[in-house]
Amino acid sequence: MELGAVLEAVEGHGAAAEAAERALLRYNEENRAVFRFDPADEDKRKKLCEGILNILEKDTQTSCQTACLEALRILSRDKKVLVPVTTKRNMQILMRLAKLDTVEDPLERVSEFPVIVEALKCLCNIIFNSAVAQKLSLELNLAAMLCNLLKKCKDQQLVGDIKCFDLRLLFLLSLLHTDIRSQLRQELQGVQVLTQALESSLNVRWTEEYKAAEDRDRPPLSLQETNCAIEALKALFNVTLDSWNVHSKNESHQFRYMAAILRYCLLTTGPTEDKTEELHSNAINLLSNIPVSCLDVLISPSSQEETDIKYNGMNMGAIQILLDFMEKRIDKGSSYREGLTPVLSLLTECCRTHRNIRKFIKAQVLPPLRDVSSRPEVGTTVRNKLVRLMTHVDLGVKQIAAEFLFVLCKERVDSLLKYTGYGNAAGLLAARGLLAGGRGDHWYSDDEDTDTEEYKSAKPNINLITGHLEEPMPNPMDEMTEEQKEYEAMKLVNMFDKLSRDEVIKPMGVRPDGTMAPLEEAVSQYHTNKQDSSDSD
């Protein structure tokens, strides 16, 4: 339908309300999937927005309100037409239709639900696309009203869509406006409200404190439940940023409670494989915000009747999900920084702090070495995949993969080199000042690794640089005369000298403390240390 005809019908609404509704319904049907608009019609679209809001300001029929709001939602995809929409008056109109201005009234009239949902969708688009609307949201106290609406949805049926878009709007506000994020965290008890919304979306049942009932026969979440849970997870992620320091017993309880829900979330599936992965991805992102001391609830004592994955009497089902998720993201081969680093960072911190988690993961990622005939980076095991990441072009990915393996080795250089080879580990060791050997700064239990007989017998012949057993190569100098050897040596010296003088390369050495330095400085420090240590009485 031609835009001018729609505008004419809307502006003549007072005389023919039904004609305006019919025109808008037809416009909505034709433009439902449109996201790019003709710049030539920009002024008409602005006038259409104004006309729609004039209709919505009056008490009109529910069907007409729904048609108007759907049209406004389509139009609000275009940032350029939002100037007439983003006023205090118009924002209040949409908030009234979304039932955000009624503090006490419960959600009872089911006929109004489509209007509430469409009004919330409009607010989502407008706030996402307009900085003016974001500032007005703080002035109008929109976050507090959304939290109140969320509480009304807690025990109500048939309000799934309302709850979902309420949560999405809270996510957008906490993402786009730092003051609203602070308001949610400090004034509105946003962590508690959003955690309860997540809990109800997942239908969690508790058997004891911090332990949810695990029903293996429960059906997957519905699409609506999954979407609500995802939106709650995203909003909680924003609100709990910078939550590493827990200062009170109440905060510690809140985060443990949240971690227990997230453990249940990891053991839950969505309606499709993609939705399950999205759900678990957002749960992992949120787990990364929780203080690591509160993550012990991810594992729990395993009862006799449970058949879940166990280690030292502990239920490791959630940790196994994290490992499987990590490997799946590695196998994707793309978007490592966004998709892989959160789960690797989470597993690294869990391993660093919780001994049982570290030992369980190490048993799967770095099992005792038996076959050392192949390079550590060659193969299809999790270890092979992680070692390949140690030389990835993305510095962040390379660092976190190396750090994860280093922590699994209890930050012992000799243990890391055994599993990765010196060449793959050199970047981490140089950054940590451990090229001369030693171990990291964190303390770990004293249980020692046990080498297999196969590894012990092969160890003397393993190439320390590549980390695998190599066939002995013939020495090209065996058949050379002394003159030929001297000639080749001087040729090599001259080549290095030329590269050094031309500043193509810069000879480096390792200081006594294990850090890198120019060769002259490193040699000088070694001589100084030697003289200091050889002083005679």
Side-chain angles (χ1 to χ4, degrees):
M1 187 174 184
E2 203 251 328
L3 189 60
V6 180
L7 182 58
E8 185 178 343
V10 168
E11 289 179 336
H13 165 259
E18 294 178 0
E21 183 180 340
R22 283 197 304 270
L24 287 170
L25 286 171
R26 187 171 172 186
Y27 177 82
N28 296 342
E29 186 65 31
E30 293 174 357
N31 295 276
R32 191 157 287 153
V34 174
F35 288 85
R36 293 180 178 275
F37 299 89
D38 186 355
D41 293 332
E42 187 177 311
D43 289 337
K44 289 182 180 179
R45 290 197 303 277
K46 285 181 180 179
K47 290 179 180 178
L48 182 56
C49 287
E50 291 175 344
I52 288 172
L53 286 161
N54 288 333
I55 295 174
L56 291 172
E57 192 174 18
K58 303 169 186 174
D59 290 328
T60 53
Q61 292 183 349
T62 300
S63 60
C64 183
Q65 288 178 335
T66 305
C68 287
L69 287 167
E70 186 176 354
L72 185 61
R73 171 168 58 84
I74 293 169
L75 292 165
S76 64
R77 295 167 182 167
D78 182 6
K79 296 180 181 181
K80 295 179 180 179
V81 304
L82 290 180
V83 175
V85 178
T86 51
T87 64
K88 191 172 183 178
R89 162 189 167 269
N90 290 336
M91 291 284 286
Q92 287 174 326
I93 291 171
L94 294 174
M95 290 165 65
R96 174 178 58 80
L97 292 169
K99 297 297 179 185
L100 293 173
D101 60 342
T102 54
V103 178
E104 302 298 335
D105 295 346
L107 298 172
E108 292 179 341
R109 296 178 61 183
V110 177
S111 60
E112 292 179 343
F113 287 3
V115 176
I116 298 173
V117 172
E118 283 298 331
L120 288 170
K121 288 180 180 179
C122 286
L123 285 169
C124 284
N125 278 4
I126 292 165
I127 287 170
F128 180 72
N129 286 319
S130 171
V132 175
Q134 293 160 25
K135 292 178 181 177
L136 279 173
S137 300
L138 184 61
E139 183 182 337
L140 295 170
N141 206 18
L142 179 57
M145 295 180 182
L146 288 166
C147 288
N148 183 62
L149 181 61
L150 199 57
K151 292 173 185 175
K152 293 181 186 179
C153 295
K154 182 179 178 182
D155 301 316
Q156 295 282 340
Q157 299 295 321
L158 305 174
V159 293
D161 284 339
I162 296 175
K163 180 179 177 181
C164 187
F165 287 102
D166 185 313
L167 288 166
R168 183 171 297 179
L169 198 43
L170 281 170
F171 160 67
L172 288 172
L173 288 171
S174 58
L175 173 70
L176 298 168
H177 206 302
T178 54
D179 289 340
I180 294 179
R181 187 187 309 162
S182 300
Q183 182 190 23
L184 279 167
R185 184 167 54 238
Q186 297 167 8
E187 299 174 22
L188 303 175
Q189 297 183 318
V191 174
Q192 293 91 323
V193 172
L194 291 167
T195 302
Q196 288 169 3
L198 175 63
E199 180 183 349
S200 65
S201 299
L202 296 170
N203 304 312
V204 181
R205 292 184 299 106
W206 299 100
T207 57
E208 55 187 89
E209 189 178 35
Y210 308 137
K211 187 172 182 180
E214 296 179 28
D215 183 5
R216 295 180 184 80
D217 298 324
R218 72 177 181 270
L221 295 176
S222 68
L223 180 61
Q224 189 178 76
E225 289 170 333
T226 306
N227 286 335
C228 280
I230 289 170
E231 296 299 335
L233 289 167
K234 287 156 61 177
L236 271 169
F237 176 82
N238 291 339
V239 176
T240 57
L241 282 171
D242 307 320
S243 298
W244 280 96
N245 295 319
V246 174
H247 300 292
S248 68
K249 187 175 180 180
N250 183 53
E251 282 182 319
S252 178
H253 165 72
Q254 185 64 49
F255 282 118
R256 284 177 181 275
Y257 177 63
M258 191 189 302
I261 296 173
L262 292 174
R263 178 184 183 276
Y264 182 86
C265 184
L266 290 173
L267 299 172
T268 301
T269 57
T272 65
E273 187 176 343
D274 288 344
K275 274 295 176 183
T276 300
E277 184 174 347
E278 185 181 357
L279 179 69
H280 290 174
S281 177
N282 282 286
I284 289 166
N285 290 342
L286 180 54
L287 278 168
S288 300
N289 282 356
I290 294 177
V292 71
S293 60
C294 300
L295 294 179
D296 55 340
V297 299
L298 290 178
I299 58 176
S300 59
S302 182
S303 57
Q304 291 297 321
E305 64 273 10
E306 288 179 341
T307 58
D308 289 318
I309 300 164
K310 302 176 185 178
Y311 187 83
N312 282 350
M314 306 298 287
N315 186 330
M316 293 288 178
I319 305 301
Q320 186 62 55
I321 294 289
L322 292 175
L323 280 173
D324 294 340
F325 183 91
M326 175 195 72
E327 187 170 9
K328 187 183 292 185
R329 285 294 170 94
I330 293 174
D331 291 341
K332 274 193 171 182
S334 61
S335 302
Y336 282 151
R337 181 173 285 273
E338 299 81 14
L340 178 62
T341 53
V343 67
L344 267 178
S345 299
L346 175 63
L347 288 172
T348 301
E349 291 305 319
C350 285
C351 291
R352 184 174 275 134
T353 309
H354 303 290
R355 178 172 178 265
N356 276 323
I357 294 177
R358 174 177 55 78
K359 295 188 74 174
F360 171 74
I361 292 176
K362 184 177 181 182
Q364 298 196 59
V365 176
L366 298 178
L369 282 176
R370 298 184 185 280
D371 181 13
V372 288
S373 59
S374 299
R375 289 173 176 260
E377 67 270 22
V378 176
T380 58
T381 66
V382 183
R383 174 176 77 108
N384 302 143
K385 296 171 183 177
L386 286 166
V387 173
R388 284 198 289 272
L389 290 179
M390 293 176 77
T391 54
H392 195 270
V393 293
D394 188 304
L395 184 61
V397 174
K398 177 169 66 174
Q399 287 176 338
I400 191 59
E403 187 75 14
F404 176 53
L405 291 175
F406 194 42
V407 169
L408 288 183
C409 295
K410 295 185 287 188
E411 300 193 20
R412 294 208 326 258
V413 173
D414 57 341
S415 181
L416 180 69
L417 297 181
K418 180 175 79 173
Y419 287 105
T420 68
Y422 199 93
N424 291 311
L428 172 76
L429 300 181
R432 299 283 292 266
L434 294 170
L435 285 169
R439 63 185 307 163
D441 301 326
H442 290 81
W443 179 89
Y444 295 87
S445 57
D446 292 331
D447 52 308
E448 295 296 327
D449 297 325
T450 54
D451 291 336
T452 61
E453 291 300 323
E454 296 91 332
Y455 178 77
K456 286 179 181 178
S457 62
K459 187 175 180 179
N461 300 315
I462 292 176
N463 184 322
L464 297 178
I465 302 299
T466 61
H468 82 298
L469 190 64
E470 292 183 341
E471 292 294 330
M473 300 290 290
N475 189 344
M477 299 182 71
D478 286 345
E479 299 181 1
M480 287 186 183
T481 64
E482 291 301 320
E483 291 78 5
Q484 287 175 319
K485 292 178 184 178
E486 184 176 350
Y487 172 77
E488 292 295 336
M490 290 306 300
K491 183 178 176 182
L492 188 60
V493 168
N494 291 332
M495 288 169 61
F496 273 111
D497 181 58
K498 184 176 187 304
L499 290 171
S500 179
R501 281 188 283 104
D502 294 344
E503 296 186 352
V504 177
I505 62 170
K506 186 174 185 179
M508 303 289 285
V510 181
R511 294 191 186 101
D513 64 359
T515 58
M516 297 287 289
L519 186 59
E520 299 85 353
E521 183 183 333
V523 172
S524 174
Q525 286 196 14
Y526 269 108
H527 285 317
T528 302
N529 287 357
K530 188 174 180 181
Q531 289 173 2
D532 292 342
S533 62
S534 62
D535 289 341
S536 57
D537 296 334

